[in-house]
Amino acid sequence: MKEQNNQAKLNLRGRLRQAGVKTTKYIQTNGKQNVVIIFATIALFAIFTLINPGFADKSVILTMSKSLVPYAILALGVTFVIATGGIDLSIGTVCIGSAVLAGAICRTGVALEDGVLWLTIPIILVTGLVFGLINGILVAKCKIAPFIATLGTMLVSRGITSVVAEAVRETSSAVKYPTTGWFQKIFTNYNGFPIGIVWVLGLTVICMVVMYKTKIGRYILAIGSNEEATRLSGINVDKYKIIAYSIGGFFAGMAALFYTASNPSLTIAGGNGMELDAIAGVYIGGTSTTGGAASIAGTILGSVILVVIRQGLNMALSGGSVVSATNITYAVTGVIVVGAVLLDVLKKKAASKVKIESTSDKLKKELKELLETLNVEKDYALSAKDTERVAKINEEIATVKSRLKTEVAQLKAEESAKK
């Protein structure tokens, strides 16, 4: 096969076939939950459209898109934290608190000038990063349980940003941002297009690269999988925990930019519960509750299904119903989160069971691996237009397929007879 690799580059057919095989393997091993979420989202969208045809209107879809962006960005950041086996309860108040603080300092709602609003961006991002860094130090260096450390930071961030905002403005901590202008065009509405979705897609790709292709992501996952083993292998566990929480804080600051662009009037209480929606999206998406396994794509899908449920229930119960759509949404979200966590527990139990592989299963596995090797060789032979080699490989493939049908079936029959 190495000779084939050197002689010819794969043509489009070969690249597509191999990409399809890799995708299928990924779905079989890691992506089953994501596929379920996609189908569930489509089904819910269809149900809510049947209940209220207006649910499929362009304006409603745009509203859901704008609503999704800050929660999806919060969820992306906290995925890194949860992957270490931790939790961050402060991201909601840090998100809104950083925007309130920046708005008060820059006086965004009072005689706004073009040269003032831009300064809120670095202030918001730095504020989020600082609180994330504090969380990381408390958890990694001070050895405080993540739940307690971030609960404390949640209260501190809410209090200190309100106090500073009140001191600067000499009134309440509520602030206003411009309702239109370049800020909205960059972060929420570019001439009618929900530009925030583009940001989410870009950040998702970046997070995937960092989580799966860099040392930072690999070490974060290793810490969540087995912290002590990771420490004994010579990795600076405290350093990478701090990095994970710093990423979560920085993304909370980024989420604030998009939330503020869509909701120009802010109060510190607006951050209550945002962290729960973000964390719920992460769990629903398949990231392990105890760390060690993370799904960036799943995080986005989990956030999407929550937004669809929230908007769908709001519209379904808007016709004079005495039942609160918000309360129903909380209940449904709670059931989904518990179900996702239970699924994670069951998967871990199944994985921990000792499995005795039968002779037929071993042979089937070996033959399938051989079949894939032959198919890869065939891809290169076809790319090189080596018809003689292709014919030989086809014969070998036919032989392997025949063995899969006959030998494996025979072994299974013998094993069944012995039972």
Side-chain angles (χ1 to χ4, degrees), residues 190-235:
Y190 185 81
N191 297 330
F193 179 76
I195 193 66
I197 295 297
V198 177
W199 282 88
V200 168
L201 294 175
L203 290 171
T204 300
V205 172
I206 292 171
C207 287
M208 283 181 168
V209 172
V210 173
M211 183 68 83
Y212 307 126
K213 299 295 183 180
T214 69
K215 181 171 67 175
I216 291 174
R218 288 194 295 269
Y219 287 173
I220 284 174
L221 291 172
I223 291 167
S225 181
N226 191 323
E227 182 175 335
E228 190 58 30
T230 305
R231 194 188 308 278
L232 292 173
S233 67
I235 296 170

mmCIF file of all heavy atoms in Angstrom, residues 190-235:
data_model
loop_
_atom_site.group_PDB
_atom_site.id
_atom_site.type_symbol
_atom_site.label_atom_id
_atom_site.label_comp_id
_atom_site.label_asym_id
_atom_site.label_seq_id
_atom_site.Cartn_x
_atom_site.Cartn_y
_atom_site.Cartn_z
ATOM 1 N N TYR A 190 -26.405 41.918 10.429
ATOM 2 C CA TYR A 190 -25.720 42.590 9.333
ATOM 3 C C TYR A 190 -26.675 42.696 8.152
ATOM 4 O O TYR A 190 -26.848 41.758 7.382
ATOM 5 C CB TYR A 190 -24.462 41.830 8.930
ATOM 6 C CG TYR A 190 -23.634 42.544 7.875
ATOM 7 C CD1 TYR A 190 -22.768 43.576 8.237
ATOM 8 C CD2 TYR A 190 -23.736 42.198 6.531
ATOM 9 C CE1 TYR A 190 -22.019 44.233 7.288
ATOM 10 C CE2 TYR A 190 -22.996 42.853 5.567
ATOM 11 C CZ TYR A 190 -22.135 43.875 5.957
ATOM 12 O OH TYR A 190 -21.394 44.545 5.005
ATOM 13 N N ASN A 191 -27.333 43.838 8.068
ATOM 14 C CA ASN A 191 -28.300 44.086 6.986
ATOM 15 C C ASN A 191 -29.344 42.975 6.874
ATOM 16 O O ASN A 191 -29.657 42.476 5.790
ATOM 17 C CB ASN A 191 -27.571 44.256 5.642
ATOM 18 C CG ASN A 191 -26.656 45.465 5.627
ATOM 19 O OD1 ASN A 191 -26.911 46.458 6.312
ATOM 20 N ND2 ASN A 191 -25.581 45.386 4.856
ATOM 21 N N GLY A 192 -29.887 42.569 8.034
ATOM 22 C CA GLY A 192 -30.926 41.548 8.065
ATOM 23 C C GLY A 192 -30.416 40.126 8.202
ATOM 24 O O GLY A 192 -31.215 39.201 8.410
ATOM 25 N N PHE A 193 -29.105 39.930 8.097
ATOM 26 C CA PHE A 193 -28.539 38.586 8.226
ATOM 27 C C PHE A 193 -28.011 38.379 9.647
ATOM 28 O O PHE A 193 -27.292 39.233 10.174
ATOM 29 C CB PHE A 193 -27.395 38.399 7.223
ATOM 30 C CG PHE A 193 -26.734 37.047 7.296
ATOM 31 C CD1 PHE A 193 -27.353 35.937 6.764
ATOM 32 C CD2 PHE A 193 -25.509 36.899 7.930
ATOM 33 C CE1 PHE A 193 -26.746 34.690 6.832
ATOM 34 C CE2 PHE A 193 -24.902 35.655 8.012
ATOM 35 C CZ PHE A 193 -25.523 34.544 7.454
ATOM 36 N N PRO A 194 -28.349 37.231 10.287
ATOM 37 C CA PRO A 194 -27.877 36.974 11.656
ATOM 38 C C PRO A 194 -26.393 36.610 11.664
ATOM 39 O O PRO A 194 -26.007 35.440 11.702
ATOM 40 C CB PRO A 194 -28.749 35.805 12.115
ATOM 41 C CG PRO A 194 -29.127 35.093 10.857
ATOM 42 C CD PRO A 194 -29.238 36.160 9.798
ATOM 43 N N ILE A 195 -25.549 37.619 11.655
ATOM 44 C CA ILE A 195 -24.100 37.425 11.515
ATOM 45 C C ILE A 195 -23.508 36.633 12.679
ATOM 46 O O ILE A 195 -22.443 36.014 12.546
ATOM 47 C CB ILE A 195 -23.398 38.813 11.399
ATOM 48 C CG1 ILE A 195 -21.948 38.666 10.936
ATOM 49 C CG2 ILE A 195 -23.482 39.571 12.705
ATOM 50 C CD1 ILE A 195 -21.801 38.153 9.533
ATOM 51 N N GLY A 196 -24.217 36.617 13.813
ATOM 52 C CA GLY A 196 -23.720 35.866 14.961
ATOM 53 C C GLY A 196 -23.540 34.386 14.669
ATOM 54 O O GLY A 196 -22.654 33.735 15.237
ATOM 55 N N ILE A 197 -24.372 33.826 13.777
ATOM 56 C CA ILE A 197 -24.269 32.407 13.417
ATOM 57 C C ILE A 197 -22.921 32.125 12.766
ATOM 58 O O ILE A 197 -22.307 31.072 12.992
ATOM 59 C CB ILE A 197 -25.420 32.009 12.471
ATOM 60 C CG1 ILE A 197 -26.769 32.118 13.188
ATOM 61 C CG2 ILE A 197 -25.226 30.604 11.946
ATOM 62 C CD1 ILE A 197 -26.913 31.182 14.370
ATOM 63 N N VAL A 198 -22.443 33.070 11.956
ATOM 64 C CA VAL A 198 -21.129 32.909 11.316
ATOM 65 C C VAL A 198 -20.036 32.867 12.384
ATOM 66 O O VAL A 198 -19.106 32.057 12.315
ATOM 67 C CB VAL A 198 -20.871 34.051 10.311
ATOM 68 C CG1 VAL A 198 -19.480 33.929 9.705
ATOM 69 C CG2 VAL A 198 -21.933 34.053 9.221
ATOM 70 N N TRP A 199 -20.162 33.740 13.386
ATOM 71 C CA TRP A 199 -19.210 33.737 14.499
ATOM 72 C C TRP A 199 -19.236 32.386 15.222
ATOM 73 O O TRP A 199 -18.184 31.832 15.559
ATOM 74 C CB TRP A 199 -19.550 34.850 15.488
ATOM 75 C CG TRP A 199 -19.120 36.212 15.079
ATOM 76 C CD1 TRP A 199 -19.826 37.107 14.327
ATOM 77 C CD2 TRP A 199 -17.895 36.877 15.415
ATOM 78 N NE1 TRP A 199 -19.118 38.275 14.174
ATOM 79 C CE2 TRP A 199 -17.934 38.167 14.832
ATOM 80 C CE3 TRP A 199 -16.780 36.506 16.152
ATOM 81 C CZ2 TRP A 199 -16.886 39.078 14.974
ATOM 82 C CZ3 TRP A 199 -15.732 37.409 16.295
ATOM 83 C CH2 TRP A 199 -15.787 38.685 15.705
ATOM 84 N N VAL A 200 -20.425 31.874 15.468
ATOM 85 C CA VAL A 200 -20.550 30.596 16.180
ATOM 86 C C VAL A 200 -19.881 29.472 15.392
ATOM 87 O O VAL A 200 -19.147 28.647 15.966
ATOM 88 C CB VAL A 200 -22.032 30.256 16.447
ATOM 89 C CG1 VAL A 200 -22.175 28.808 16.925
ATOM 90 C CG2 VAL A 200 -22.611 31.194 17.484
ATOM 91 N N LEU A 201 -20.113 29.431 14.085
ATOM 92 C CA LEU A 201 -19.502 28.398 13.252
ATOM 93 C C LEU A 201 -17.981 28.499 13.278
ATOM 94 O O LEU A 201 -17.268 27.489 13.400
ATOM 95 C CB LEU A 201 -20.018 28.500 11.813
ATOM 96 C CG LEU A 201 -21.503 28.186 11.604
ATOM 97 C CD1 LEU A 201 -21.907 28.447 10.157
ATOM 98 C CD2 LEU A 201 -21.798 26.731 11.973
ATOM 99 N N GLY A 202 -17.474 29.738 13.185
ATOM 100 C CA GLY A 202 -16.027 29.944 13.226
ATOM 101 C C GLY A 202 -15.433 29.530 14.561
ATOM 102 O O GLY A 202 -14.393 28.845 14.619
ATOM 103 N N LEU A 203 -16.094 29.915 15.649
ATOM 104 C CA LEU A 203 -15.603 29.554 16.986
ATOM 105 C C LEU A 203 -15.694 28.056 17.222
ATOM 106 O O LEU A 203 -14.853 27.468 17.922
ATOM 107 C CB LEU A 203 -16.412 30.309 18.049
ATOM 108 C CG LEU A 203 -16.166 31.819 18.119
ATOM 109 C CD1 LEU A 203 -17.181 32.482 19.050
ATOM 110 C CD2 LEU A 203 -14.750 32.119 18.596
ATOM 111 N N THR A 204 -16.715 27.419 16.645
ATOM 112 C CA THR A 204 -16.847 25.962 16.778
ATOM 113 C C THR A 204 -15.665 25.253 16.138
ATOM 114 O O THR A 204 -15.088 24.319 16.722
ATOM 115 C CB THR A 204 -18.158 25.476 16.122
ATOM 116 O OG1 THR A 204 -19.268 26.109 16.764
ATOM 117 C CG2 THR A 204 -18.308 23.973 16.247
ATOM 118 N N VAL A 205 -15.284 25.690 14.948
ATOM 119 C CA VAL A 205 -14.129 25.092 14.260
ATOM 120 C C VAL A 205 -12.859 25.307 15.083
ATOM 121 O O VAL A 205 -12.049 24.382 15.268
ATOM 122 C CB VAL A 205 -13.968 25.701 12.845
ATOM 123 C CG1 VAL A 205 -12.663 25.233 12.209
ATOM 124 C CG2 VAL A 205 -15.147 25.318 11.962
ATOM 125 N N ILE A 206 -12.676 26.518 15.608
ATOM 126 C CA ILE A 206 -11.492 26.808 16.428
ATOM 127 C C ILE A 206 -11.463 25.914 17.665
ATOM 128 O O ILE A 206 -10.420 25.354 18.024
ATOM 129 C CB ILE A 206 -11.475 28.300 16.837
ATOM 130 C CG1 ILE A 206 -11.243 29.184 15.603
ATOM 131 C CG2 ILE A 206 -10.399 28.568 17.890
ATOM 132 C CD1 ILE A 206 -11.430 30.661 15.857
ATOM 133 N N CYS A 207 -12.606 25.776 18.319
ATOM 134 C CA CYS A 207 -12.675 24.938 19.523
ATOM 135 C C CYS A 207 -12.396 23.477 19.200
ATOM 136 O O CYS A 207 -11.751 22.774 19.993
ATOM 137 C CB CYS A 207 -14.049 25.084 20.184
ATOM 138 S SG CYS A 207 -14.308 26.650 21.016
ATOM 139 N N MET A 208 -12.877 23.010 18.042
ATOM 140 C CA MET A 208 -12.587 21.635 17.636
ATOM 141 C C MET A 208 -11.092 21.421 17.454
ATOM 142 O O MET A 208 -10.537 20.406 17.893
ATOM 143 C CB MET A 208 -13.320 21.319 16.329
ATOM 144 C CG MET A 208 -14.800 21.042 16.493
ATOM 145 S SD MET A 208 -15.552 20.647 14.894
ATOM 146 C CE MET A 208 -17.146 20.028 15.416
ATOM 147 N N VAL A 209 -10.445 22.365 16.795
ATOM 148 C CA VAL A 209 -9.002 22.260 16.572
ATOM 149 C C VAL A 209 -8.263 22.246 17.905
ATOM 150 O O VAL A 209 -7.381 21.418 18.146
ATOM 151 C CB VAL A 209 -8.503 23.414 15.679
ATOM 152 C CG1 VAL A 209 -6.975 23.415 15.611
ATOM 153 C CG2 VAL A 209 -9.090 23.299 14.273
ATOM 154 N N VAL A 210 -8.628 23.176 18.793
ATOM 155 C CA VAL A 210 -7.954 23.264 20.096
ATOM 156 C C VAL A 210 -8.195 22.002 20.920
ATOM 157 O O VAL A 210 -7.264 21.457 21.533
ATOM 158 C CB VAL A 210 -8.451 24.504 20.880
ATOM 159 C CG1 VAL A 210 -7.879 24.503 22.302
ATOM 160 C CG2 VAL A 210 -8.039 25.778 20.168
ATOM 161 N N MET A 211 -9.429 21.499 20.932
ATOM 162 C CA MET A 211 -9.770 20.353 21.775
ATOM 163 C C MET A 211 -9.166 19.052 21.264
ATOM 164 O O MET A 211 -8.688 18.234 22.049
ATOM 165 C CB MET A 211 -11.294 20.210 21.869
ATOM 166 C CG MET A 211 -11.761 19.083 22.786
ATOM 167 S SD MET A 211 -11.416 19.379 24.525
ATOM 168 C CE MET A 211 -12.828 20.406 24.966
ATOM 169 N N TYR A 212 -9.178 18.845 19.933
ATOM 170 C CA TYR A 212 -8.801 17.542 19.395
ATOM 171 C C TYR A 212 -7.435 17.505 18.713
ATOM 172 O O TYR A 212 -6.879 16.419 18.524
ATOM 173 C CB TYR A 212 -9.856 17.067 18.384
ATOM 174 C CG TYR A 212 -11.261 17.068 18.922
ATOM 175 C CD1 TYR A 212 -12.285 17.734 18.263
ATOM 176 C CD2 TYR A 212 -11.569 16.415 20.114
ATOM 177 C CE1 TYR A 212 -13.581 17.738 18.756
ATOM 178 C CE2 TYR A 212 -12.867 16.418 20.618
ATOM 179 C CZ TYR A 212 -13.861 17.084 19.933
ATOM 180 O OH TYR A 212 -15.141 17.099 20.434
ATOM 181 N N LYS A 213 -6.890 18.675 18.363
ATOM 182 C CA LYS A 213 -5.653 18.679 17.582
ATOM 183 C C LYS A 213 -4.476 19.351 18.285
ATOM 184 O O LYS A 213 -3.376 19.385 17.722
ATOM 185 C CB LYS A 213 -5.896 19.388 16.232
ATOM 186 C CG LYS A 213 -6.949 18.720 15.350
ATOM 187 C CD LYS A 213 -6.497 17.343 14.901
ATOM 188 C CE LYS A 213 -7.530 16.721 13.948
ATOM 189 N NZ LYS A 213 -7.119 15.375 13.501
ATOM 190 N N THR A 214 -4.668 19.898 19.459
ATOM 191 C CA THR A 214 -3.575 20.582 20.145
ATOM 192 C C THR A 214 -3.270 19.928 21.484
ATOM 193 O O THR A 214 -4.074 19.173 22.032
ATOM 194 C CB THR A 214 -3.898 22.071 20.388
ATOM 195 O OG1 THR A 214 -4.958 22.167 21.363
ATOM 196 C CG2 THR A 214 -4.333 22.763 19.108
ATOM 197 N N LYS A 215 -2.109 20.250 22.000
ATOM 198 C CA LYS A 215 -1.678 19.725 23.292
ATOM 199 C C LYS A 215 -2.614 20.168 24.406
ATOM 200 O O LYS A 215 -2.912 19.397 25.329
ATOM 201 C CB LYS A 215 -0.257 20.222 23.573
ATOM 202 C CG LYS A 215 0.342 19.739 24.879
ATOM 203 C CD LYS A 215 1.812 20.090 24.959
ATOM 204 C CE LYS A 215 2.022 21.591 25.048
ATOM 205 N NZ LYS A 215 3.446 21.936 25.237
ATOM 206 N N ILE A 216 -3.108 21.399 24.329
ATOM 207 C CA ILE A 216 -4.009 21.920 25.366
ATOM 208 C C ILE A 216 -5.251 21.037 25.487
ATOM 209 O O ILE A 216 -5.624 20.608 26.587
ATOM 210 C CB ILE A 216 -4.415 23.372 25.041
ATOM 211 C CG1 ILE A 216 -3.217 24.301 25.194
ATOM 212 C CG2 ILE A 216 -5.556 23.832 25.957
ATOM 213 C CD1 ILE A 216 -3.481 25.731 24.744
ATOM 214 N N GLY A 217 -5.893 20.771 24.362
ATOM 215 C CA GLY A 217 -7.107 19.956 24.385
ATOM 216 C C GLY A 217 -6.854 18.540 24.850
ATOM 217 O O GLY A 217 -7.621 17.985 25.653
ATOM 218 N N ARG A 218 -5.771 17.930 24.357
ATOM 219 C CA ARG A 218 -5.460 16.549 24.749
ATOM 220 C C ARG A 218 -5.192 16.442 26.245
ATOM 221 O O ARG A 218 -5.635 15.492 26.904
ATOM 222 C CB ARG A 218 -4.256 16.039 23.949
ATOM 223 C CG ARG A 218 -4.567 15.773 22.480
ATOM 224 C CD ARG A 218 -3.471 14.960 21.822
ATOM 225 N NE ARG A 218 -2.204 15.700 21.784
ATOM 226 C CZ ARG A 218 -1.835 16.463 20.783
ATOM 227 N NH1 ARG A 218 -2.621 16.624 19.739
ATOM 228 N NH2 ARG A 218 -0.665 17.091 20.806
ATOM 229 N N TYR A 219 -4.490 17.409 26.796
ATOM 230 C CA TYR A 219 -4.183 17.378 28.230
ATOM 231 C C TYR A 219 -5.425 17.647 29.073
ATOM 232 O O TYR A 219 -5.603 17.070 30.148
ATOM 233 C CB TYR A 219 -3.093 18.386 28.568
ATOM 234 C CG TYR A 219 -1.703 17.990 28.095
ATOM 235 C CD1 TYR A 219 -0.621 18.857 28.193
ATOM 236 C CD2 TYR A 219 -1.482 16.729 27.534
ATOM 237 C CE1 TYR A 219 0.644 18.492 27.767
ATOM 238 C CE2 TYR A 219 -0.215 16.364 27.092
ATOM 239 C CZ TYR A 219 0.842 17.244 27.206
ATOM 240 O OH TYR A 219 2.090 16.884 26.780
ATOM 241 N N ILE A 220 -6.296 18.525 28.590
ATOM 242 C CA ILE A 220 -7.554 18.797 29.299
ATOM 243 C C ILE A 220 -8.398 17.522 29.367
ATOM 244 O O ILE A 220 -8.938 17.185 30.425
ATOM 245 C CB ILE A 220 -8.328 19.937 28.599
ATOM 246 C CG1 ILE A 220 -7.686 21.290 28.939
ATOM 247 C CG2 ILE A 220 -9.808 19.938 29.007
ATOM 248 C CD1 ILE A 220 -8.268 22.463 28.185
ATOM 249 N N LEU A 221 -8.489 16.813 28.249
ATOM 250 C CA LEU A 221 -9.240 15.558 28.234
ATOM 251 C C LEU A 221 -8.571 14.495 29.112
ATOM 252 O O LEU A 221 -9.253 13.709 29.779
ATOM 253 C CB LEU A 221 -9.381 15.046 26.800
ATOM 254 C CG LEU A 221 -10.281 15.874 25.875
ATOM 255 C CD1 LEU A 221 -10.176 15.385 24.435
ATOM 256 C CD2 LEU A 221 -11.729 15.819 26.335
ATOM 257 N N ALA A 222 -7.258 14.484 29.111
ATOM 258 C CA ALA A 222 -6.531 13.522 29.947
ATOM 259 C C ALA A 222 -6.788 13.780 31.428
ATOM 260 O O ALA A 222 -6.960 12.844 32.214
ATOM 261 C CB ALA A 222 -5.038 13.602 29.646
ATOM 262 N N ILE A 223 -6.839 15.047 31.802
ATOM 263 C CA ILE A 223 -7.117 15.408 33.203
ATOM 264 C C ILE A 223 -8.497 14.918 33.607
ATOM 265 O O ILE A 223 -8.693 14.353 34.682
ATOM 266 C CB ILE A 223 -7.004 16.940 33.397
ATOM 267 C CG1 ILE A 223 -5.542 17.381 33.262
ATOM 268 C CG2 ILE A 223 -7.556 17.364 34.761
ATOM 269 C CD1 ILE A 223 -5.367 18.880 33.138
ATOM 270 N N GLY A 224 -9.482 15.130 32.733
ATOM 271 C CA GLY A 224 -10.831 14.678 33.035
ATOM 272 C C GLY A 224 -10.952 13.174 33.090
ATOM 273 O O GLY A 224 -11.744 12.626 33.857
ATOM 274 N N SER A 225 -10.145 12.477 32.278
ATOM 275 C CA SER A 225 -10.197 11.020 32.246
ATOM 276 C C SER A 225 -9.571 10.404 33.492
ATOM 277 O O SER A 225 -10.148 9.516 34.120
ATOM 278 C CB SER A 225 -9.480 10.506 30.994
ATOM 279 O OG SER A 225 -9.531 9.105 30.930
ATOM 280 N N ASN A 226 -8.375 10.887 33.863
ATOM 281 C CA ASN A 226 -7.687 10.376 35.059
ATOM 282 C C ASN A 226 -6.649 11.409 35.487
ATOM 283 O O ASN A 226 -5.531 11.430 34.973
ATOM 284 C CB ASN A 226 -7.031 9.030 34.773
ATOM 285 C CG ASN A 226 -6.551 8.345 36.035
ATOM 286 O OD1 ASN A 226 -6.075 8.984 36.979
ATOM 287 N ND2 ASN A 226 -6.665 7.024 36.072
ATOM 288 N N GLU A 227 -7.052 12.262 36.416
ATOM 289 C CA GLU A 227 -6.189 13.382 36.808
ATOM 290 C C GLU A 227 -4.875 12.908 37.425
ATOM 291 O O GLU A 227 -3.806 13.446 37.114
ATOM 292 C CB GLU A 227 -6.927 14.288 37.800
ATOM 293 C CG GLU A 227 -6.116 15.501 38.208
ATOM 294 C CD GLU A 227 -6.890 16.459 39.094
ATOM 295 O OE1 GLU A 227 -8.128 16.456 39.025
ATOM 296 O OE2 GLU A 227 -6.239 17.195 39.856
ATOM 297 N N GLU A 228 -4.933 11.910 38.286
ATOM 298 C CA GLU A 228 -3.725 11.457 38.977
ATOM 299 C C GLU A 228 -2.743 10.820 38.000
ATOM 300 O O GLU A 228 -1.529 11.068 38.076
ATOM 301 C CB GLU A 228 -4.093 10.465 40.084
ATOM 302 C CG GLU A 228 -2.936 10.124 41.012
ATOM 303 C CD GLU A 228 -2.332 11.350 41.700
ATOM 304 O OE1 GLU A 228 -3.068 12.331 41.949
ATOM 305 O OE2 GLU A 228 -1.113 11.322 41.964
ATOM 306 N N ALA A 229 -3.252 10.013 37.077
ATOM 307 C CA ALA A 229 -2.379 9.402 36.073
ATOM 308 C C ALA A 229 -1.743 10.469 35.188
ATOM 309 O O ALA A 229 -0.569 10.359 34.803
ATOM 310 C CB ALA A 229 -3.177 8.413 35.222
ATOM 311 N N THR A 230 -2.517 11.505 34.861
ATOM 312 C CA THR A 230 -1.994 12.607 34.056
ATOM 313 C C THR A 230 -0.890 13.333 34.805
ATOM 314 O O THR A 230 0.154 13.686 34.232
ATOM 315 C CB THR A 230 -3.133 13.592 33.706
ATOM 316 O OG1 THR A 230 -4.184 12.889 33.069
ATOM 317 C CG2 THR A 230 -2.634 14.690 32.784
ATOM 318 N N ARG A 231 -1.075 13.547 36.095
ATOM 319 C CA ARG A 231 -0.064 14.218 36.918
ATOM 320 C C ARG A 231 1.221 13.382 36.988
ATOM 321 O O ARG A 231 2.325 13.906 36.865
ATOM 322 C CB ARG A 231 -0.611 14.454 38.326
ATOM 323 C CG ARG A 231 0.216 15.426 39.164
ATOM 324 C CD ARG A 231 -0.290 15.458 40.605
ATOM 325 N NE ARG A 231 -1.712 15.705 40.677
ATOM 326 C CZ ARG A 231 -2.269 16.911 40.604
ATOM 327 N NH1 ARG A 231 -1.498 17.977 40.457
ATOM 328 N NH2 ARG A 231 -3.577 17.056 40.684
ATOM 329 N N LEU A 232 1.062 12.070 37.186
ATOM 330 C CA LEU A 232 2.220 11.179 37.304
ATOM 331 C C LEU A 232 2.990 11.045 35.989
ATOM 332 O O LEU A 232 4.174 10.701 35.994
ATOM 333 C CB LEU A 232 1.762 9.794 37.768
ATOM 334 C CG LEU A 232 1.224 9.713 39.207
ATOM 335 C CD1 LEU A 232 0.656 8.336 39.494
ATOM 336 C CD2 LEU A 232 2.322 10.069 40.213
ATOM 337 N N SER A 233 2.310 11.342 34.879
ATOM 338 C CA SER A 233 2.990 11.278 33.583
ATOM 339 C C SER A 233 3.829 12.530 33.300
ATOM 340 O O SER A 233 4.441 12.639 32.241
ATOM 341 C CB SER A 233 1.969 11.076 32.469
ATOM 342 O OG SER A 233 1.135 12.209 32.337
ATOM 343 N N GLY A 234 3.834 13.456 34.241
ATOM 344 C CA GLY A 234 4.683 14.639 34.109
ATOM 345 C C GLY A 234 3.997 15.875 33.571
ATOM 346 O O GLY A 234 4.645 16.899 33.324
ATOM 347 N N ILE A 235 2.684 15.820 33.377
ATOM 348 C CA ILE A 235 1.938 16.968 32.857
ATOM 349 C C ILE A 235 1.582 17.915 34.006
ATOM 350 O O ILE A 235 1.177 17.464 35.081
ATOM 351 C CB ILE A 235 0.662 16.495 32.132
ATOM 352 C CG1 ILE A 235 1.050 15.670 30.897
ATOM 353 C CG2 ILE A 235 -0.221 17.668 31.724
ATOM 354 C CD1 ILE A 235 -0.102 14.951 30.241
#
